[in-house]
Structure formats: C-alpha cells, structure tokens
C-alpha cells in the first residue's frame, strides 16, 4: 500500500500541516508542495450521551505498563547511526513546531481532536471508501460499527486528513478513523482501526491504521489535560517530510510509507524514536513547555506520519497559549538523538 495522498503549498516554519501517505515534495525555496489543505481542527468536546469529559481519558491506562507507548527512553542506548540521521533531519534547519493550539486556523481548531464515550454509546455503521482526497484501505481496516457519535469532532472540520477519534473508557477501547465524513446516518472513511487498550497486540504486519505507521494516533497526542497533571507519560507523535523518511518501519509500527530516503547509513523508518538530549537546558521555559520538553527527554518523539519537519501533534484546547507554544521552536533537530532501533522491516 502506498502513502496516502496530500497537496499543500506552504512555508514549513509558519503553517501546521500533517501530510498523508502519497506525497510529492517539490524543492521550491522554503516551500513544500503536497496534496493537503493547511487547516486545523475541530472542537474538543465530549459528545457522548453519558456524563464523561475529556479529562476522564487521563484516568485510564493507555495500554499495559510494558507497552512501548509507556516505555521511558531516558536511559536507552543511542543508535550507532544517530549522528548521520540527525544530520539528515537537520537539513533545512527545522525546529520543533507545536501542531496544536487554541483558536482557529483557516476556520478550524488547531490540532487533532478526540471525544470520550461510555460503554453505552451506540455503535454507528462504518463504510470504507475512496474519495477525492485518498483511497480505500478497507482491506487493512477493522470492520465497524464503531461507537463514535455522528457529531464527534472531525480534524480540520472535514478538510484534509479528517481524523476522528473516540475513546471508550468503560470498555478500554480506542476507535480511530482517517479521511472520515458522515453520510447517510453513518461514518465513511478511507481507513479505521480499533485498539484494545488492555492489550499489547499489534496490528497485522504491513497494515495501516488511521495513521501512516499502523499505530494509534491518540496515545501520541499532547493533551492539555496532561499538562494540568504536570506529566506527559508517553512519546509524542511527530512528522517529517517524505524526502527524509525511509521505506521501512520498526516495531511497534506496522506500516511503511513511500519515502524518498534510500540511505543505509542514515535510515529514518516509521516508528523511529528521538530523544531530546539530556544536556538541553529547559529551565527557562514556561511550566507548560517544561512538561512537554521533559516528556521529550524521558519518552521522546515517535515518527508517525509524513508531514512538515519536526511538527509535534496535539489536541486543540482553548487553554493553550499559542505564543508560548511558539517558543518550543527554540528546540532544533540537532538537539535530539536517535534511540537504538531494532530490525528494519
């Protein structure tokens, strides 16, 4: 299966753009051209009929304690190819960009939204299909119905990747759709996945999910509710341009993309983890940003999709301070190191 389609024309430093599976990079000065609208995303509100809030998502275990999503990497060895890989990632001098925030961008909230539901949430039919944005990956998707309310927030208000995410806190299951829309009383999407949060089971080898890696999206999002607790205890989802990504993946990722990096000396597979170097001083940042940066040191970043270089993913929330989040841009690609990687698939 190839990368998913995206078109966009924007300066990497200014606009938030996660990109999909089949991207064409045009080497224009300061620009990336991909098939993707530079929009950000939908309201962050619970649409479940029962009494739950987004904060309830932080009260359950997101996968077992031994799951890679819960693995700290602060003491993990550095990959022997780290210097070469970081040199590749540093081309164009990218810095960290928070791909989430408060308010609107192009009339949509900024980030990937999610909703929280109870076990009583009715299940809604899901039909997999292609549309003008991307293809039909139903053969690598989990069958519906999904307990995702029809008024659940859609990323980008339905423009672009259009992720839809619902967390069932009673049954400890995560439901995610990609390129989703509502039609005839049900959901239609290019792909969808269900994750049992009490299990370490991976998707079948080679399968995508609602993300290019075959991994779940939700566990990698920076969520404001975590910042309130003062702890982000998981790796943070991030993106790189297709020209820097290899046609490989490492566990726990399950799916590769059609990347342009063919270097054996500096492979950049999907699922690769970066760690903010321990020597980077984060004491001068705000309390909010220190929580985010501390997570980068302890849990790192995990490469999950094709997009703008060093963009980290999070959920929209009116409480984010966008000006403060912009200060994360002081952190450069050269401030990271690559955690030792396993077998390249």
């Amino acid at each position: 299966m190839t990368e998913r389609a995206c078109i966009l024309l924007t300066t990497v430093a200014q606009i938030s753009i996660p990109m999909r599976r089949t991207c064409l990079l045009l080497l224009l000065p300061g620009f990336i051209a991909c098939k993707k609208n530079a929009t950000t995303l939908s309201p962050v509100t619970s649409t479940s009929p029962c009494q739950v809030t987004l904060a309830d998502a932080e009260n359950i275990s997101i996968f077992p304690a031994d799951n890679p999503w819960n693995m700290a990497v602060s003491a993990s060895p550095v990959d022997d190819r780290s210097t070469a890989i970081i040199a590749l990632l540093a081309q164009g001098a990218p810095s960290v960009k928070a791909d989430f925030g408060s308010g609107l961008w192009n009339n949509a909230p900024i980030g990937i939204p999610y909703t929280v539901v109870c076990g009583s949430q009715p299940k809604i039919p899901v039909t997999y299909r292609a549309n003008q944005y991307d293809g039909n990956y139903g053969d690598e998707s989990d069958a519906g119905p999904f307990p995702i309310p029809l008024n659940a927030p859609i990323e980008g208000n339905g423009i672009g990747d259009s992720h839809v995410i619902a967390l069932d806190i009673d049954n400890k299951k995560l439901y995610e759709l990609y390129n989703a829309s509502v039609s005839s009383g049900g959901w239609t999407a290019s792909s969808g996945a269900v994750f049992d949060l009490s299990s370490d089971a991976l998707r079948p080898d080679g399968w995508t999910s609602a993300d290019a890696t075959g991994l779940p999206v939700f566990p990698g999002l920076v969520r404001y509710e975590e910042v309130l607790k003062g702890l982000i205890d998981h790796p943070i989802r991030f993106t790189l341009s297709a020209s820097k990504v290899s046609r490989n993946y490492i566990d726990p990722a399950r799916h590769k993309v059609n990347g342009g990096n063919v270097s054996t000396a500096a492979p950049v597979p999907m699922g690769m983890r970066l760690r903010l170097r321990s020597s980077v001083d984060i004491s001068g940042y705000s309390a909010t940003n220190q929580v985010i940066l501390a997570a980068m040191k302890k849990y790192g970043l995990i490469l999950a999709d094709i997009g703008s270089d060093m963009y980290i993913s999070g959920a929209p929330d009116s409480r984010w301070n966008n000006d403060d989040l912009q200060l994360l841009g002081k952190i450069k690609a050269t401030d990271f190191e690559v955690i030792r990687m396993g077998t390249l698939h």
Side-chain angles (χ1 to χ4, degrees), residues 250-264:
I250 59 173
D251 294 339
R254 297 284 86 190
H255 183 259
K256 62 187 176 183
V257 299
N258 191 25
N261 176 7
V262 295
S263 171
T264 57

Side-chain angles (χ1 to χ4, degrees), residues 19-319:
M19 305 189 309
R20 297 313 303 171
R21 312 286 152 97
T22 306
C23 278
L24 172 64
L25 298 185
L26 301 181
L27 301 181
L28 303 177
F31 289 85
I32 293 178
C34 303
K35 198 173 189 179
K36 165 79 175 166
N37 287 314
T39 60
T40 48
L41 317 169
S42 305
V44 191
T45 56
S46 173
T47 53
S48 171
C50 62
Q51 297 300 312
V52 289
T53 68
L54 297 185
D56 291 318
E58 310 307 327
N59 297 326
I60 65 171
S61 297
I62 307 299
F63 298 117
D66 63 350
N67 191 276
W69 280 104
N70 296 313
M71 183 183 73
V73 295
S74 51
S76 298
V78 175
D79 195 278
D80 293 341
R81 299 155 291 187
S82 179
T83 299
I85 293 170
I86 294 300
L88 174 65
L89 301 190
Q91 292 177 6
S95 59
V96 169
K97 168 70 174 179
D99 198 10
F100 55 92
S102 62
L104 304 177
W105 178 267
N106 282 4
N107 298 315
I110 309 169
I112 300 177
Y114 63 97
T115 192
V116 177
V117 300
C118 299
S120 59
Q121 174 65 44
K123 292 189 174 182
I124 306 297
V126 176
T127 301
Y128 297 111
R129 48 85 180 116
N131 62 8
Q132 70 279 4
Y133 185 72
D134 208 347
N136 181 351
Y137 308 107
D139 59 345
E140 297 178 17
S141 296
D142 294 315
F146 288 0
I148 304 179
L150 290 176
N151 60 345
I154 303 175
E155 177 188 11
N157 288 345
I159 298 175
D161 283 359
S162 301
H163 286 109
V164 177
I165 299 173
L167 179 64
D168 180 343
I169 61 170
D170 290 332
N171 293 308
K172 308 297 189 296
K173 288 190 176 181
L174 177 64
Y175 297 83
E176 300 186 341
L177 297 172
Y178 159 68
N179 190 22
S181 60
V182 174
S183 178
S184 301
W187 288 102
T188 64
S190 282
S191 64
V194 182
F195 296 91
D196 182 348
L197 299 179
S198 63
S199 170
D200 286 329
L202 300 176
R203 293 181 67 68
D205 187 34
W207 275 33
T208 189
S209 59
D211 218 346
T213 51
L215 292 171
V217 176
F218 174 81
L221 297 180
V222 177
R223 306 181 295 274
Y224 195 84
E225 299 295 342
E226 297 177 293
V227 172
L228 288 180
K229 295 193 306 181
L231 175 66
I232 294 173
D233 56 1
H234 58 80
I236 297 171
R237 180 186 188 270
F238 85 110
T239 63
L240 290 170
S241 56
S243 63
K244 295 180 179 179
V245 178
S246 307
R247 298 177 185 181
N248 308 100
Y249 63 88
I250 59 173
D251 294 339
R254 297 284 86 190
H255 183 259
K256 62 187 176 183
V257 299
N258 191 25
N261 176 7
V262 295
S263 171
T264 57
V268 181
M270 300 306 283
M272 180 185 74
R273 285 188 50 181
L274 302 181
R275 176 177 62 205
L276 185 63
R277 289 187 287 106
S278 60
S279 59
V280 175
D281 183 7
I282 66 174
S283 63
Y285 289 86
S286 69
T288 291
N289 285 343
Q290 285 190 46
V291 172
I292 297 171
L293 294 170
M296 293 183 189
K297 288 190 174 189
K298 185 171 183 179
Y299 294 94
L301 307 180
I302 186 165
L303 180 58
D305 206 352
I306 297 299
S308 297
D309 285 338
M310 301 305 297
Y311 274 42
I312 61 172
S313 302
D317 197 290
S318 62
R319 295 167 290 183

